Amino acid sequence: MRIELGSDTLLGPGKAALLSGIRDTGSIAAAGRRMGMSYKRAWYLIDTLNKAFQEPLVFASKGGRRGGGAVLTSTGDTILDSYLRMERLASAAVAGELDLLASLMKPDS
């Protein structure tokens, strides 16, 4: 499911997975690697989301002796949890229609 948040901002499974990866790993780089994505691409997606909302979704600290890291802000947690809920609700709402489509497919498709 993809949600158009604005003319240039979408929230879908990829960005949700990236946010979830940051929540799990505490790192933009690690979350991106988990998805086979470059750090530059992961950072760009997070920057786009951070700019689209009233408050940032991810707070990142620069590296150093102890290394950097990233955490979801409370807004980031709220957005991710809301998206995951909407995804579950949408899946449940269309399950019957998906079953119908599947029943009409050729056996080898």
Side-chain angles (χ1 to χ4, degrees), residues 47-64:
D47 189 50
T48 300
L49 286 173
N50 277 347
K51 288 177 179 175
F53 288 91
Q54 293 176 19
E55 297 179 12
L57 307 189
V58 175
F59 174 75
S61 59
K62 293 184 180 190

Side-chain angles (χ1 to χ4, degrees), residues 22 46 66 69 84:
I22 291 167
I46 294 304
R66 294 182 165 204
L84 295 174

Side-chain angles (χ1 to χ4, degrees), residues 2 7 10 18-19 25 27 31 38 46 48-49 73 86 90 105:
R2 291 197 198 295
S7 60
L10 298 172
L18 184 59
L19 290 171
T25 66
S27 165
S38 72
I46 294 304
T48 300
L49 286 173
T73 63
M86 287 187 285
M105 296 288 296

Side-chain angles (χ1 to χ4, degrees), residues 18 37-46:
L18 184 59
M37 181 185 301
S38 72
Y39 174 78
K40 183 177 179 178
R41 176 74 177 150
W43 178 254
Y44 169 77
L45 294 174
I46 294 304

Side-chain angles (χ1 to χ4, degrees), residues 5-22:
L5 300 168
S7 60
D8 294 330
T9 308
L10 298 172
L11 180 60
K15 287 179 183 166
L18 184 59
L19 290 171
S20 184
I22 291 167

